Amino acid sequence: MLIYRFLSGDDDSAFCHKVSKALIEGWQLYGEPRYVHDPGTGRMRCGQAVTRDVADQPYDPDKKLVDYA
């Protein structure tokens, strides 16, 4: 089964660490990163989709995606 996550955050080193951690955990980049200006905070926000193949198991919408093995 292929699972999908969208990581988002301020355009800073914490976001880069979040993406790096996902890659270390076996997630793969999916598509291009996205950037948008948040007029409320005046900051740039960014997002990156990631996917991961997991062993065949039933999908459970209540289960955290990071808990799929």
Side-chain angles (χ1 to χ4, degrees), residues 4-66:
Y4 169 95
R5 289 173 62 194
F6 187 77
L7 307 173
S8 63
D10 287 337
D11 186 14
D12 59 15
S13 65
F15 177 76
C16 294
H17 287 289
K18 185 187 296 188
V19 174
S20 295
K21 183 176 185 290
L23 295 174
I24 290 166
E25 292 172 345
W27 295 86
Q28 295 182 337
L29 298 177
Y30 181 83
E32 299 292 322
R34 300 291 181 213
Y35 296 91
V36 64
H37 181 261
D38 182 346
T41 63
R43 297 183 59 118
M44 292 298 291
R45 304 268 301 158
C46 49
Q48 174 66 56
V50 292
T51 60
R52 183 169 68 173
D53 279 315
V54 296
D56 288 333
Q57 53 191 292
Y59 176 71
D60 179 357
D62 295 324
K63 187 175 184 177
K64 289 184 178 183
L65 294 175
V66 296

